[in-house]
Amino acid sequence: MVTVRLPVRHALHSALLDTIRPDCLCLTADVNPATRRLPRYSSMLATRLGTPQSWDEYLWDVIRHLVRFDELMASEFTTPDRHFFVDLSASGSFANFLKHGYAPAFRGAAAINQFGDNAGTVRRLHDELIRLDSA
């Protein structure tokens, strides 16, 4: 199992969050992601994500429940060379999981740099995606 220490001040994915559930549900009550062309996957459910009955409940569950990243990778991405992952998290934890637990078979990059220079990070991501698209 791959683990990465996250640079956060508060517990995530645990019962320690239960007291803030009502506040979180209020913040996400109006979330309704647009129709997508690319598939979405959930590391909480460890499978491809359909359309949840309630996005606010789903988003709460993502914050509250365990991340099943290893299960997701094993069940949904059996041909690593066909995929490139883009990490949209603020901490880059997904890209770190790939780098330290799955590289070089799995490729991916972060879109946000927690240490600054987001413009440079996005530029490098863009260049990598262009390179892969033209290969």
Side-chain angles (χ1 to χ4, degrees), residues 47-98:
T47 190
R48 189 169 176 168
L49 181 64
T51 302
Q53 287 185 322
S54 167
W55 277 104
D56 55 334
E57 290 287 342
Y58 172 74
L59 293 172
W60 165 254
D61 288 345
V62 167
I63 294 168
R64 169 59 178 85
H65 295 289
L66 292 177
V67 175
R68 296 165 51 198
F69 185 78
D70 286 331
E71 291 176 59
L72 174 66
M73 298 307 281
S75 67
E76 296 292 333
F77 302 104
T78 57
T79 53
D81 58 320
R82 297 184 58 208
H83 303 281
F84 185 87
F85 299 90
V86 177
D87 182 352
L88 300 176
S89 73
S91 65
S93 57
F94 184 81
N96 277 318
F97 276 125
L98 289 176

Side-chain angles (χ1 to χ4, degrees), residues 20-33 54-63:
I20 64 165
R21 184 177 185 273
D23 297 323
C24 286
L25 290 176
C26 288
L27 291 172
T28 59
D30 295 328
V31 171
N32 190 10
S54 167
W55 277 104
D56 55 334
E57 290 287 342
Y58 172 74
L59 293 172
W60 165 254
D61 288 345
V62 167
I63 294 168

